[in-house]
Amino acid sequence: MEEIQRESMEYDVIIVGAGPSGLSAAIKLKQMAVENQSEISICIVEKGSEVGAHILSGNVIDPKALNELIPDWKEKGAPLKTEVNKDSVRYLLSESLTIPAPLMIVPTFKNHGNYIISLGNLCRWLAEYAESLEIDIFAGFPASEIIYENDRVIGVITGDMGIDSEGEKKPGYEPGVELRAKFTVLAEGCRGHLGKEIINKYKLDEGKDPQHYGIGFKEVWDLKPELHEEGLVIHTLGWPSKGTVSGSYFYHGENNQAYIGYVVPLDYENPHLSPYDEFQQWKHQSSISKYLKEGKRVSYGARALIKGGLQSRPKMNFPGGLLIGDNAGTLNFPRIKGTHTAMKSGMIAAETIFSSIQSSKTDLEEYEEKFTSSWVNSELYKARNWNPFLHKFGPYLGVLLAGIDQFIFRGKLPFTLRAPEPDHACLKEANKMSKISYPKPDGIISFDKLSSVFLSNTNHAEDQPCHLILKDESIPIEQNLPLYDEPAQRYCPAGVYEVIEEEGSKKFQINAQNCVHCKTCDIKDPAQNIIWVTPEGTGGPNYPNM
């Protein structure tokens, strides 16, 4: 095989991912270097076409970490404009019946002092701030491989450009670049493919529960001014969920826009369930549809979220680097908040790395101690039983017990529950579960998948290797189809997977160009047969303000 000649660049620190954790790590590290009159070179690589292009989150942000990182963020023009002024928590009994829940019994949903934001726009602002500190940010360059030397991570290789679908070089082929560093920080977000490799290689999850996930949807709507209530935050549970503890959000942001979404835990049992269609059906609930009937949908996206919590968090340091943010699982699921915890995990990473560089140490073992003594770990400890209660006891008793844990005991129950069954193993055989018939989208409030993907501005060059790899190409038709009615047709939020008839036989078709990089297939496939890897640079969604 021909050896690829690659350009090589060296930095003190390389960060993979320009999300809130990666950007916070870079900024904090550079701040410390400036304060101590030290020179530290930092590079961030981001697979999206620009910073923010692949960022999707609700988002109501707790500014705690931002206050620590950039205390004068208001004066510097950070895009936090809409402070929460009203919370509403509701249980939906049916399409027309709603019961309000008193905030006193759901304390995790109190948002006083928090802000309704676009996380994508916050990341863009943080990136500008980082560049003002002379931090290099390379957007459109996915980190596709890890470089190892003597069992230690010493950097990453960015993806090759100009490879066709058969693996051959096209005209204009450009090999990826080797980025080498003293320390490599993986801040890829939920289910990062390099983080997954590192966790397996170094057994960072040994003795931990398997990680648990949900799939989160988001749409941005322009509302009629008379229906818009800037600063209002709505959360719901109940209808139309079918045996799951699914929930929704409806945030009234600035400029008469609403950020709405729905989260389905990926430990669901019924393979006939379609998370996308659950979301579309939810929008027809009377207390929700009243806002949307005369509105206009302007954006759509979907992304897996990580919710295993404290019991599932792997060790975050490894030889030569760190896992931070949702790559490791720092989301506080009862609060439905992970931005502030991700940012703080990055700031702790910066402190650890700076200390190691200053003392010429090659390990980052201090990180675990620093993290466990931080307020992030305290938050995750209080939240630790929420997911296991829901996982073990379901949508009724589980919610009641989780509520008692948070409302009465404030997360301080004298025991820690475990949730040892991975999400992909929760599916039951299709012939043992009820089929689900979803209403057809009306094109006004609810929509089909392909029109939604169009609004995500998703694009991949068609003539490139498929980034959705089947370990065994026979499994979808020979195993998943008879056992589970091939659930990829339904759990994918972008219509990537289809079972089609071709010359009298069934075939599993992958429409990789539709992929919004949610990672759900990598998580939920019952045979764990699908591996998500990075496509060619700039591919995927291009979210404007998600």
Side-chain angles (χ1 to χ4, degrees):
M1 183 180 291
E2 178 188 355
E3 185 177 347
I4 299 174
Q5 298 298 314
R6 301 184 185 277
E7 181 185 348
S8 181
M9 300 172 68
E10 295 201 5
Y11 288 86
D12 292 314
V13 179
I14 290 167
I15 298 171
V16 179
S21 65
L23 289 164
S24 297
I27 290 169
K28 180 66 175 177
L29 185 54
K30 201 69 171 185
Q31 288 172 338
M32 296 177 75
V34 170
E35 289 167 7
N36 290 272
Q37 298 182 328
S38 300
E39 286 290 331
I40 294 181
S41 57
I42 305 168
C43 167
I44 303 175
V45 288
E46 163 58 39
K47 65 184 175 69
S49 60
E50 64 170 357
V51 173
H54 289 179
I55 296 291
L56 184 146
S57 180
N59 178 294
V60 173
I61 186 173
D62 180 339
K64 185 173 185 177
L66 184 59
N67 291 338
E68 293 181 15
L69 183 65
I70 308 172
D72 57 347
W73 56 264
K74 283 186 180 180
E75 291 77 11
K76 284 184 161 55
L80 282 72
K81 309 294 185 187
T82 305
E83 190 165 359
V84 177
N85 56 39
K86 184 180 179 182
D87 281 293
S88 175
V89 181
R90 307 168 183 179
Y91 190 84
L92 309 182
L93 289 172
S94 67
E95 190 170 350
S96 58
L97 294 177
T98 304
I99 299 175
L103 274 178
M104 65 175 293
I105 65 170
V106 280
T108 59
F109 289 99
K110 289 181 180 178
N111 283 290
H112 177 75
N114 299 332
Y115 292 80
I116 300 169
I117 68 162
S118 157
L119 184 58
N121 287 342
L122 176 60
C123 287
R124 291 181 178 97
W125 182 84
L126 287 170
E128 290 177 5
Y129 190 91
E131 288 177 327
S132 74
L133 297 175
E134 299 183 348
I135 294 165
D136 291 340
I137 301 178
F138 300 136
F141 289 87
S144 62
E145 297 178 49
I146 295 172
I147 307 172
Y148 297 99
E149 189 175 276
N150 298 323
D151 203 40
R152 176 184 170 85
V153 174
I154 60 165
V156 296
I157 300 174
T158 63
D160 296 342
M161 302 285 283
I163 301 288
D164 68 19
S165 58
E166 301 298 320
E168 300 296 324
K169 296 175 184 176
K170 297 188 289 189
Y173 163 77
E174 291 184 18
V177 178
E178 286 191 0
L179 298 171
R180 294 173 175 260
K182 294 173 184 173
F183 297 109
T184 302
V185 180
L186 299 182
E188 304 165 281
C190 175
R191 196 73 169 191
H193 84 291
L194 298 183
K196 182 179 165 187
E197 176 184 328
I198 286 290
I199 290 169
N200 291 336
K201 177 178 176 61
Y202 294 111
K203 298 180 171 58
L204 302 181
D205 57 352
E206 200 166 52
K208 302 285 187 174
D209 283 356
Q211 193 53 262
H212 297 285
Y213 303 88
I215 178 170
F217 298 88
K218 181 177 181 178
E219 292 178 351
V220 180
W221 282 70
D222 289 335
L223 302 187
K224 298 275 284 187
E226 58 268 27
L227 294 174
H228 184 257
E229 302 176 56
E230 188 167 325
L232 170 62
V233 165
I234 301 169
H235 290 105
T236 79
L237 284 171
W239 189 90
S241 65
K242 300 164 183 66
T244 67
V245 191
S246 302
S248 79
Y249 61 88
F250 197 120
Y251 302 153
H252 290 245
E254 59 184 327
N255 301 322
N256 294 319
Q257 285 196 324
Y259 305 149
I260 74 171
Y262 198 79
V263 177
V264 178
L266 289 178
D267 61 355
Y268 65 82
E269 297 180 344
N270 190 338
H272 301 297
L273 187 144
S274 166
Y276 175 87
D277 290 303
E278 298 272 305
F279 172 41
Q280 297 303 311
Q281 189 175 10
W282 164 80
K283 289 187 289 179
H284 286 276
Q285 212 279 336
S286 59
S287 68
I288 303 301
S289 63
K290 69 178 184 180
Y291 293 109
L292 305 180
K293 282 178 181 175
E294 297 183 67
K296 180 184 178 183
R297 187 177 71 146
V298 296
S299 193
Y300 164 86
R303 184 75 168 91
L305 56 89
I306 193 163
K307 65 183 184 68
L310 192 75
Q311 299 91 311
S312 301
R313 180 180 69 81
K315 183 181 179 184
M316 295 167 72
N317 63 283
F318 54 86
L322 295 168
L323 292 169
I324 61 173
D326 275 356
N327 230 9
T330 55
L331 174 76
N332 183 333
F333 190 47
R335 295 186 68 196
I336 322 177
K337 285 180 178 48
T339 302
H340 67 301
T341 51
M343 291 178 70
K344 183 62 176 178
S345 75
M347 293 157 67
I348 298 168
E351 293 166 1
T352 307
I353 290 169
F354 185 79
S355 173
S356 291
I357 289 175
Q358 290 295 96
S359 58
S360 300
K361 291 166 62 177
T362 59
D363 70 75
L364 299 169
E365 291 294 329
E366 290 180 6
Y367 185 85
E368 199 69 19
E369 182 181 345
K370 286 178 179 289
F371 187 91
T372 53
S373 61
S374 72
W375 55 256
V376 181
N377 196 70
S378 298
E379 274 200 30
L380 296 181
Y381 181 80
K382 290 178 182 177
R384 73 196 185 285
N385 283 326
W386 182 273
N387 187 65
F389 270 131
L390 304 185
H391 193 76
K392 283 176 177 288
F393 299 107
Y396 302 110
L397 181 57
V399 169
L400 175 63
L401 294 172
I404 291 170
D405 171 43
Q406 294 297 309
F407 172 55
I408 297 176
F409 293 96
R410 304 293 176 179
K412 296 178 181 178
L413 283 170
F415 54 82
T416 298
L417 294 174
R418 309 301 294 260
E421 187 177 26
D423 292 344
H424 71 267
C426 293
L427 277 182
K428 297 188 181 299
E429 293 181 14
N431 61 8
K432 297 176 182 176
M433 302 301 293
S434 300
K435 288 198 172 183
I436 301 173
S437 177
Y438 291 100
K440 290 185 177 180
D442 64 3
I444 300 170
I445 290 176
S446 51
F447 305 89
D448 61 41
K449 284 184 180 179
L450 292 185
S451 65
S452 296
V453 173
F454 177 79
L455 284 183
S456 71
N457 302 306
T458 293
N459 184 56
H460 296 86
E462 289 195 22
D463 189 19
Q464 65 171 300
C466 182
H467 67 280
L468 302 162
I469 299 169
L470 300 180
K471 291 189 281 187
D472 183 338
E473 294 187 359
S474 71
I475 282 178
I477 299 302
E478 294 181 9
Q479 183 173 315
N480 284 355
L481 186 61
L483 287 177
Y484 306 107
D485 194 26
E486 186 41 85
Q489 302 174 90
R490 290 172 293 282
Y491 61 58
C492 174
V496 170
Y497 301 104
E498 294 181 280
V499 174
I500 62 172
E501 288 275 350
E502 194 172 271
E503 297 179 355
S505 60
K506 294 190 182 298
K507 178 185 175 183
F508 189 62
Q509 179 165 295
I510 301 177
N511 306 309
Q513 68 273 15
N514 287 3
C515 178
V516 293
H517 297 198
C518 74
K519 316 287 183 69
T520 303
C521 56
D522 194 287
I523 296 164
K524 189 60 177 173
D525 180 66
Q528 291 293 275
N529 187 49
I530 302 174
I531 302 173
W532 189 99
V533 298
T534 51
E536 196 170 274
T538 75
N542 283 279
Y543 297 133
N545 63 335
M546 298 289 259

